[in-house]
Amino acid sequence: MSAHAHVATVDYAALDDNALVALVRSGQREAFRHIMQRCNQRLFRVARAVLGEDAEAEDVLQESYMRAYNKLDSFRGDSSLATWLTTIVLNEARGRLRKRHTMVDLEQVDAAPDDSHQVIRFPSKFGSEDPLVSAARSQIRGLLEHAIDELPPAFRTVYMMRDVEECSVEETATMLAIKPETVKTRLHRARRLLRASLHGQLANTMSEAFPFMGQRCARVTAAVMARLEDAQPT
């Protein structure tokens, strides 16, 4: 049996992240495609939360994956692979913001007074949903995505990671290099702003916001695989 035939029989989908990393390190580039497909949704959402724009978020993903592939030997498994990749994406996205010279003064944002009184939590999901809401899901999701885009960047990133991707407070704080209490404060304010914008009716569409499946996922994955192929010595 040829080496190529052996690689083709690997059931990548059944492997955990560490096993995929080990295969990539051993020279099986195809395993990296499955890492990307497994992490694309979260990483796109994080990049888009920082940048607020689809095309640049996709570009950040490509660059981040190239960086990750080239420094995969530095992944020690101290955190999950998704967390490690998220940190790379955040660094790349923030670098783009610095080039734009539009970084938000986060200390000023966090010091802003919270003028809310009685605050009702903006939930991640409803236990049940109105049939009319379900029938209009795509239109509602569009409204929700627009409302999230309108959040201040510092709040938008925390909201995307906590309520959309359901990262823990501790994981979010570590990845963003902020205090857990700051995560809680920004999430609280983001929910309040969204509630005011959406009248508290649209939280059940959280899990479908900013999809990164189908053609978009395939486009980024194929582009990175092509770049890796080009980068190999002949």
Side-chain angles (χ1 to χ4, degrees):
M1 181 182 291
S2 68
H4 177 74
H6 175 72
V7 171
T9 63
V10 175
D11 184 5
Y12 294 104
L15 300 177
D16 65 20
D17 291 343
N18 290 332
L20 288 175
V21 169
L23 287 178
V24 177
R25 286 171 172 166
S26 72
Q28 295 190 31
R29 266 202 317 277
E30 186 62 23
F32 196 69
R33 181 193 304 275
H34 289 264
I35 289 175
M36 288 189 288
Q37 290 171 341
R38 194 170 288 182
C39 298
N40 268 338
Q41 177 81 72
R42 170 190 280 199
L43 299 182
F44 172 73
R45 283 170 165 171
V46 169
R48 198 190 184 290
V50 174
L51 297 164
E53 198 271 323
D54 282 5
E56 193 167 13
E58 289 189 30
D59 191 39
V60 161
L61 246 61
Q62 284 196 40
E63 295 302 321
S64 298
Y65 279 134
M66 294 299 294
R67 289 178 187 271
Y69 184 88
N70 290 325
K71 62 188 290 189
L72 201 59
D73 284 343
S74 70
F75 174 67
R76 301 299 180 208
D78 298 330
S79 61
S80 71
L81 181 61
T83 297
W84 185 73
L85 290 170
T86 298
T87 301
I88 295 174
V89 168
L90 283 168
N91 288 338
E92 179 70 20
R94 286 167 166 169
R96 300 295 179 96
L97 282 184
R98 283 192 291 271
K99 290 178 181 178
R100 286 192 204 163
H101 302 289
T102 58
M103 284 291 287
V104 175
D105 185 343
L106 299 186
E107 291 184 2
Q108 183 177 353
V109 169
D110 290 330
D114 186 344
D115 59 1
S116 62
H117 298 285
Q118 184 176 4
V119 177
I120 303 172
R121 183 181 183 276
F122 192 90
S124 299
K125 296 180 177 69
F126 287 152
S128 60
E129 63 181 23
D130 189 288
L132 292 177
V133 173
S134 179
R137 184 176 297 277
S138 61
Q139 293 91 337
I140 291 171
R141 189 175 67 242
L143 292 173
L144 177 60
E145 291 175 351
H146 177 74
I148 293 174
D149 278 345
E150 293 301 308
L151 290 172
F155 297 166
R156 186 171 63 223
T157 304
V158 167
Y159 186 81
M160 194 77 78
M161 295 175 72
R162 286 284 291 117
D163 269 5
V164 180
E165 277 301 303
E166 299 183 336
C167 299
S168 69
V169 171
E170 292 73 19
E171 185 181 12
T172 302
T174 298
M175 287 187 286
L176 295 178
I178 57 180
K179 297 177 180 179
E181 284 305 314
T182 303
V183 171
K184 295 176 183 177
T185 298
R186 292 184 188 177
L187 179 60
H188 168 80
R189 293 175 179 170
R191 286 172 173 166
R192 179 167 55 86
L193 290 170
L194 284 175
R195 187 178 65 249
S197 176
L198 300 171
H199 305 290
Q201 300 300 313
L202 307 180
N204 59 310
T205 60
M206 284 297 110
S207 62
E208 294 183 12
F210 303 113
F212 196 80
M213 303 299 179
Q215 290 184 351
R216 182 178 284 166
C217 177
R219 180 170 62 247
V220 168
T221 303
V224 172
M225 293 301 292
R227 289 175 64 178
L228 292 174
E229 181 72 27
D230 291 343
Q232 295 302 306
T234 55

